């Protein structure tokens, strides 16, 4: 899609309102970004409610995650930049905090990834054409040293084939991406549904 | 009800917005159809968000599930056609992915159907006049070979008396139908409520 | 409050939209009534979605539950009439099907009532002035013979002191009442919250 | 922020509508306050639905919790006053009843506080800069003697370093505060998310 700054802002504000309406933007959690047609990245600033963003709440970074404007981006913008560097097809990255993504990564043994298997909804993920498969969503330990975390993430993502559409930070939340804002949003919604099914299965399945 | 194409489109768009508002249309999941007054079937295309459909997102198939227009229907349209062939009274079919329908079919032993018993809400289902009964919602193994799955579904549905108002695909979701879009929607809502009660009972009842 | 028929209809339509927005009116479940200033009762007809009622969906009964108009009321209208006969202060009765009310009455041993103890939210119930109390919500076996059920309900309610603000039908749902539509609605919301806490405690508390 | 009475009322009505939309204002539960620029406190009256407040539903107290107007405040206004006396930076206090806050305080052993550890969402709380920490939300026994409870609360809060942003009353609900209504609202939303994760972990984690 590759957008102008003003259309990127319009898309980011709209997706914030939609994610908030689905309960995926409590307090000031989350951050969202879009790749611009000049190769830079529009990304939300820190500390704002994502369901009530205005156009001043979006700033710009370059592909190395460096701030291009006076308004500083979220510290997590370096993770967004990392995803754009790795995957040329990705034009949008969405990060949300949600009960399923936080809890599932906390109750799984440390070091485990989230493995989704046999769900028809897996076909929402780009490149997945059958439910009869096994999709791994890599889980990383959370960190406050975002540049260091971005290196860890990049080192692992490059080894994964096929390229994932999402990652999880333990006790923190979900990053999802796609070729458009809409595709990234669909990945978020599909994974939230499947992660809630995984938690429900853990609760119920211990019969 | 038996509708013209344009009133069918209006109904399909409206029910998509309502199901989405209830959390029953995450990402691009689900598909919806209506029998037209010329005997053909209006059905949603693939890959669109069902809460934000526009009129170009509805196409047509015949009763054998063959595409009648350039826009291809969802691959699952053959399942819709199967339901219309079997049940002359059915004028609308709705398919949704939801946490209860996906999880319940995954935690039950493979080969089990969902059995609902003693719920007053059963009386929402067409033909059910008392809570003091036992309603079986047949569960089928999911498949990516939709024509083959449609044959399996048809072979079993014809044997079921009384005719069911819904079926489940394991790890996939719910199909529900009725004499109007509204009746099919009521079947969806009633079954979602009762399946959520079933899951809650599994969680709680193991005291 | 004691209303004219037209203001009663306005109140019933409005409370239906609010309960539906809270997820308390799936499919065509529930029915609502208001005592009129001539001593008759306005009550919803059967088979309509309670979030989308129009003025033709309200009819009238007398205090014995007999239909006064051509449009027949819900079969459960005799339960509404029973509550109005017993309690002069009651001007509105609301009945809803919800996951907590259905599941809690199904997982408790048959014959048990729902007992709520120690909740601050109990003070929402008329006449309750402290959390440090024990409120019994009587549970009745569901029946399709509504006149017989109404007699069973009446026989038991007259013995209960203080007068309850609600009752439950097993596997069916909640009846709540109050001196106004708003008070009855508050009883519904307070009990839904406390019943969801009870279920959560059953799930969690078996450590 | 420090507001005029009329802007305080505007803020209180708006936050009530937002909390209600998130399901955090059932029946007439909760109460909200704002510090005014003359040092007094605007606070909601009792018995009104917090999602449908109008400007007559806000009254004023002084810092000792004494009513300044004919309309009496909620009995819990003395707890709001206590928070404003202790913490000069606090300009808004929000109190809500919710399933997680009620249930979590009931299932924990009596006398336990809620301890949150390792959540990225902790950084929403003022003064918290890393997930790698342990935040204690003090839990107090509920009481109907609000002045006595306010003394117990004050005696304990003064001993807590760093100053908490919230407290819980057992079986009752959450009090949260901040330098603005918005900051207090963010504390509510962040704690509701983390408490729902804690409950989910209790359910799931007993593998």
């Amino acid at each position: 899609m590759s957008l102008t700054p003003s259309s990127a802002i319009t898309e980011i504000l709209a997706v914030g309102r939609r994610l908030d309406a689905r309960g995926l933007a409590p307090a000031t959690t989350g951050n969202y970004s879009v790749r611009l047609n000049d190769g830079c990245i529009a990304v939300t600033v820190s500390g704002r409610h994502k369901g009530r963003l205005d156009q001043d709440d979006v700033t710009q970074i370059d592909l190395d995650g460096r701030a291009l404007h006076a308004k500083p981006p979220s510290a997590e913008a370096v993770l967004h930049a990392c995803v754009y560097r790795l995957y040329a097809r990705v034009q949008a990255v969405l990060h949300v905090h949600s009960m399923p993504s936080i809890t599932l990564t906390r109750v799984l043994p440390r070091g485990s990834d989230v493995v989704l298997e046999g769900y028809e909804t897996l076909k929402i993920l780009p490149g997945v054409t059958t439910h009869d498969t096994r999709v791994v969503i890599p889980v990383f330990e959370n960190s406050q040293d975002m540049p260091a975390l971005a290196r860890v993430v990049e080192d692992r993502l490059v080894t994964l084939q096929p390229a994932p559409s999402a990652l999880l930070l333990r006790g923190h939340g979900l990053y999802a991406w796609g070729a458009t804002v809409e595709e990234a949003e669909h990945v978020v919604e599909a994974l939230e549904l499947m992660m809630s099914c995984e938690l429900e299965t853990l609760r119920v399945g211990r019969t």
Side-chain angles (χ1 to χ4, degrees), chain A residues 40-192:
Chain A
C40 293
I41 297 161
V43 61
T44 47
V45 299
S46 229
R48 301 285 300 160
H49 195 293
K50 299 308 178 293
R52 306 196 277 271
L53 293 170
D54 66 42
Q55 55 179 43
D56 292 332
D57 300 326
V58 179
T59 188
Q60 289 187 27
I61 57 171
D62 67 17
L63 266 182
D64 294 315
R66 280 184 297 252
L68 297 175
H69 289 191
K71 287 180 294 185
S74 161
E76 297 181 37
V78 294
L79 280 179
H80 292 246
C82 162
V83 173
Y84 291 111
R85 279 197 310 274
L86 282 172
Y87 305 122
R89 74 176 288 280
V90 172
Q91 306 290 324
V93 178
L94 301 173
H95 165 52
V96 299
H97 293 205
S98 68
M99 193 283 277
S101 62
I102 294 171
T103 309
L104 194 56
T105 55
R106 283 169 66 100
V107 300
L108 289 177
R110 195 177 285 232
S112 303
D113 294 318
V114 167
V115 179
L116 302 170
E117 212 165 348
Y119 291 101
E120 178 73 11
T121 314
L122 284 169
K123 290 164 64 183
I124 299 294
L125 306 182
V128 179
T129 56
T130 173
H131 73 283
D132 195 9
T133 187
R134 191 173 176 274
V135 170
V136 175
I137 312 295
V139 178
F140 297 89
E141 278 300 301
N142 195 20
S143 169
Q144 297 310 310
D145 182 344
M146 282 295 149
L149 179 54
R151 284 188 299 271
V152 170
V153 165
E154 185 156 4
D155 285 351
R156 180 155 183 227
L157 290 190
V158 294
T159 70
L160 298 179
Q161 290 297 339
S165 295
L167 64 83
L168 290 156
L169 301 182
R170 208 170 75 84
H172 181 154
L174 171 71
Y175 277 78
W177 48 85
T180 60
V181 170
E182 200 174 37
E183 187 178 278
E185 186 185 6
H186 293 166
V187 175
V188 169
E189 293 186 26
L191 288 174
E192 289 292 329

